[in-house]
Amino acid sequence: LKWAKNIMIDVAKELSKLYPKFLFVVSLGSYPERDKEVLKENNLHIYHYLDYDEVIPKIDYAVHHGGTGILYSCIKYNKPAVVVPHDYDQFDYAVRADLAEIAFIANLKSKNSILKAFDKILERKEWRNLEKLSEAFNNYSPSDLLEKEIDRILKGVQK
């Protein structure tokens, strides 16, 4: 959502001023524009597109919209997050992430809410539930599970 991206850029600009020792990296999520020039402003870099698997392992925290892909990447790479849901199922994922104690929720329409959630994420030192969920996520192989289930069913059919 264009309007939401503009809000997040404004929030990132403010965060970059409040926390000059952090590098803030924004992805606008536009794959067709992935080769466009990166906008760099002191400790704020705005990319038109970034691949989660390339970036998430290198960060300390994420501020994201709560979509499935980014949420799962944060779990996979054990990264705490501030979830700022925009629409559809993102509100549900935000609540689930909050209940699982792997993220804080912020309100897109309140810059102050996002700034407070970011402060909370920095204050928290341990993320035990996130660590456990990340370990479970990385040890889960759905294709192996599916193969075992197919074998089990086929053995039952052959009898």
Side-chain angles (χ1 to χ4, degrees), residues 6 52 54 64 74 106 152:
N6 291 334
Y52 296 151
E54 288 181 28
H64 63 78
C74 286
R152 185 190 68 79

Side-chain angles (χ1 to χ4, degrees), residues 128-148:
R128 291 190 181 163
N129 285 358
L130 178 57
E131 290 169 13
K132 289 177 190 174
L133 197 53
S134 179
E135 185 178 337
F137 183 93
N138 287 300
N139 288 325
Y140 174 64
S141 176
S143 56
D144 289 347
L145 188 62
L146 179 62
E147 187 177 333
K148 286 178 185 175

Side-chain angles (χ1 to χ4, degrees), residues 43-77:
N43 61 328
L44 173 64
H45 297 184
I46 301 171
Y47 292 78
H48 291 276
Y49 176 83
L50 290 170
D51 182 271
Y52 296 151
D53 284 330
E54 288 181 28
V55 175
I56 302 298
K58 299 174 186 174
I59 65 170
D60 294 318
Y61 309 100
V63 178
H64 63 78
H65 63 290
T68 307
I70 186 69
L71 181 65
Y72 283 3
S73 289
C74 286
I75 292 168
K76 178 180 180 179
Y77 295 110

Side-chain angles (χ1 to χ4, degrees), residues 17-154:
K17 289 175 186 164
L18 290 170
Y19 299 96
K21 293 183 180 180
F22 283 82
L23 173 63
F24 290 87
V25 177
V26 175
S27 173
L28 299 176
S30 178
Y31 185 78
E33 297 179 295
R34 67 190 175 279
D35 294 326
K36 279 190 168 181
E37 185 178 348
V38 176
L39 307 170
K40 294 182 179 181
E41 194 175 296
N42 298 318
N43 61 328
L44 173 64
H45 297 184
I46 301 171
Y47 292 78
H48 291 276
Y49 176 83
L50 290 170
D51 182 271
Y52 296 151
D53 284 330
E54 288 181 28
V55 175
I56 302 298
K58 299 174 186 174
I59 65 170
D60 294 318
Y61 309 100
V63 178
H64 63 78
H65 63 290
T68 307
I70 186 69
L71 181 65
Y72 283 3
S73 289
C74 286
I75 292 168
K76 178 180 180 179
Y77 295 110
N78 193 25
K79 303 299 177 176
V82 172
V83 180
V84 187
H86 295 48
D87 58 13
Y88 305 111
D89 59 349
Q90 296 166 4
F91 295 95
D92 182 51
Y93 281 119
V95 170
R96 291 170 187 260
D98 183 55
L99 290 172
E101 298 179 3
I102 64 170
F104 293 110
I105 302 173
N107 182 339
L108 177 64
K109 296 180 181 175
S110 168
K111 188 187 296 188
N112 199 36
S113 170
I114 300 168
L115 297 175
K116 283 183 181 179
F118 190 79
D119 286 339
K120 284 172 41 176
I121 207 170
L122 294 179
E123 290 169 9
R124 188 161 173 187
K125 299 301 177 208
E126 291 185 1
W127 294 88
R128 291 190 181 163
N129 285 358
L130 178 57
E131 290 169 13
K132 289 177 190 174
L133 197 53
S134 179
E135 185 178 337
F137 183 93
N138 287 300
N139 288 325
Y140 174 64
S141 176
S143 56
D144 289 347
L145 188 62
L146 179 62
E147 187 177 333
K148 286 178 185 175
E149 185 61 12
I150 290 170
D151 287 345
R152 185 190 68 79
I153 290 169
L154 289 176

